[in-house]
């Protein structure tokens, strides 16, 4: 494996990868995988923006060789890892659960379920197990908005999914079109029972978060917002640990961001 692209929705979710970028050098990409390539491996971080529209636009652009980032991309990677936070839509999952998707459902149109690459997903889960970090296999569902109430989450759970995010389906679809194997690894930061402030109105059309608007909505629900932020911090620590196990010592990758991030 010569190259891997890691897709995240936001800068916050990309920070664990950026820390690994700054502190590592070597050849392997995934620690537990059969990576024996000569020379230096390449990992690139792609920050798509939040939501399916931004994720679809950015994933299709970079996989088609878009040079809009101002950096030279390889035509396409050997593998894609989608990572970040997610919410539970099943009562069987607690906050802090690490989930590797085996498939992903689209909640906002009638497109078929997509399956993650089995070999790549097994490589990810085997690496984590060897590193002492438990990881559950489950189906995910991609929604067009943040599920803020228990009723919304349970409704999404009727699809058969256990967790929800807003980007994975579109990135998997772009990866399938480009014929690149892809896996999804996310951490639950939001349980079914938690009601959260409606941050949907703080997401800009380009997928970036309007922090002033988000703060304003948080101030209307200070206790739930503070609890959610604390859960997100805990989830990000687990994601940091998991990525530290997954990634061996990759060479310094190039951080790729949407121009509007």
């Amino acid at each position: 494996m010569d190259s891997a692209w890691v897709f995240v929705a936001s800068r916050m979710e990309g920070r664990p990868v950026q820390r690994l970028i700054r502190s590592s050098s070597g050849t392997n990409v995934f620690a537990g995988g059969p990576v024996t390539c000569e020379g230096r491996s390449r990992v690139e971080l792609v920050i798509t923006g939040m939501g399916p529209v931004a994720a679809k636009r950015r994933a299709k652009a970079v996989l088609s060789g878009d040079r809009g980032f101002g950096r030279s991309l390889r035509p396409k990677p050997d593998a894609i890892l989608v990572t970040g936070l997610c919410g539970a839509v099943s009562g069987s999952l607690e906050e802090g659960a690490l989930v590797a998707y085996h498939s992903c459902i689209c909640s906002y149109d009638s497109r078929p379920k997509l399956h993650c690459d089995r070999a790549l997903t097994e490589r990810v889960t085997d690496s984590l197990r060897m590193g002492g970090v438990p990881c559950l296999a489950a189906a995910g569902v991609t929604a067009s908005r943040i599920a803020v109430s228990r009723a919304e989450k349970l409704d999404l759970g009727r699809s058969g999914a256990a967790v929800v995010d807003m980007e994975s389906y579109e990135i998997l679809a772009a990866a399938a079109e480009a014929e690149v194997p892809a896996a999804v690894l996310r951490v639950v930061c939001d349980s079914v029972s938690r009601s959260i402030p409606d941050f949907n109105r703080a997401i800009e059309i380009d997928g970036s978060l309007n922090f002033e608007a988000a703060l304003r909505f948080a101030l209307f629900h200070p206790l739930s917002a503070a609890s959610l932020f604390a859960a997100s911090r805990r989830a990000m620590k687990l994601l940091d640990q998991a990525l530290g196990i997954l990634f061996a010592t990759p060479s310094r990758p190039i951080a790729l961001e949407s121009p509007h991030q």
Side-chain angles (χ1 to χ4, degrees):
M1 184 186 296
D2 291 321
S3 63
W5 292 0
V6 181
F7 282 74
V8 299
S10 66
R11 287 184 177 183
M12 178 192 72
E13 291 166 303
R15 283 173 189 156
V17 180
Q18 291 175 321
R19 283 192 287 271
L20 290 168
I21 288 170
R22 289 191 292 267
S23 64
S24 60
S25 62
T27 57
N28 285 356
V29 176
F30 290 111
V35 183
T36 58
C37 61
E38 300 269 329
R40 297 175 70 83
S41 296
R42 180 183 181 90
V43 180
E44 301 195 28
L45 175 63
V46 180
I47 302 176
T48 65
M50 298 174 65
V53 174
K56 179 179 181 178
R57 181 176 62 247
R58 192 56 48 195
K60 289 178 73 69
V62 297
L63 286 166
S64 65
D66 189 320
R67 299 298 188 266
F69 291 106
R71 295 187 183 267
S72 177
L73 284 173
R74 295 186 179 191
K76 58 184 178 181
D78 296 311
I80 285 172
L81 177 67
V82 185
T83 191
L85 303 178
C86 64
V89 294
S90 167
S92 64
L93 282 183
E94 298 291 335
E95 292 175 4
L98 187 64
V99 181
Y101 290 18
H102 55 67
S103 58
C104 192
I105 301 158
C106 181
S107 72
Y108 44 86
D109 63 33
S110 58
R111 283 181 289 174
K113 178 191 296 185
L114 295 176
H115 293 272
C116 297
D117 184 82
R118 180 177 294 181
L120 183 60
T121 302
E122 288 179 354
R123 180 183 302 185
V124 168
T125 55
D126 288 349
S127 297
L128 292 169
R129 185 175 62 253
M130 289 187 292
V133 174
C135 180
L136 305 173
V141 58
T142 293
S144 59
R145 65 188 307 277
I146 300 170
V148 300
S149 69
R150 175 181 172 85
E152 286 182 273
K153 296 170 190 175
L154 291 176
D155 186 56
L156 288 166
R158 293 188 182 96
S159 66
V163 292
V164 59
D165 66 66
M166 297 198 298
E167 300 83 25
S168 294
Y169 187 94
E170 298 297 350
I171 300 170
L172 289 173
E177 184 177 349
E179 299 182 334
V180 178
V184 180
L185 180 71
R186 291 184 178 268
V187 184
V188 176
C189 70
D190 177 22
S191 68
V192 169
S193 60
R194 182 191 296 279
S195 294
I196 64 175
D198 188 354
F199 293 117
N200 287 289
R201 290 175 290 172
I203 300 175
E204 303 285 7
I205 192 169
D206 64 358
S208 62
L209 184 68
N210 183 320
F211 289 100
E212 290 185 4
L215 179 60
R216 187 164 58 249
F217 297 140
L219 290 175
F220 282 112
H221 306 277
L223 294 180
S224 60
S227 179
L228 176 63
F229 294 153
S232 296
R233 285 195 297 270
R234 292 191 296 270
M236 286 303 303
K237 287 182 179 179
L238 177 58
L239 185 61
D240 203 340
Q241 180 186 3
L243 292 176
I245 293 169
L246 282 185
F247 285 86
T249 52
S251 62
R252 180 173 297 177
I254 297 172
L256 301 174
E257 298 183 7
S258 165
H260 300 290
Q261 290 301 303

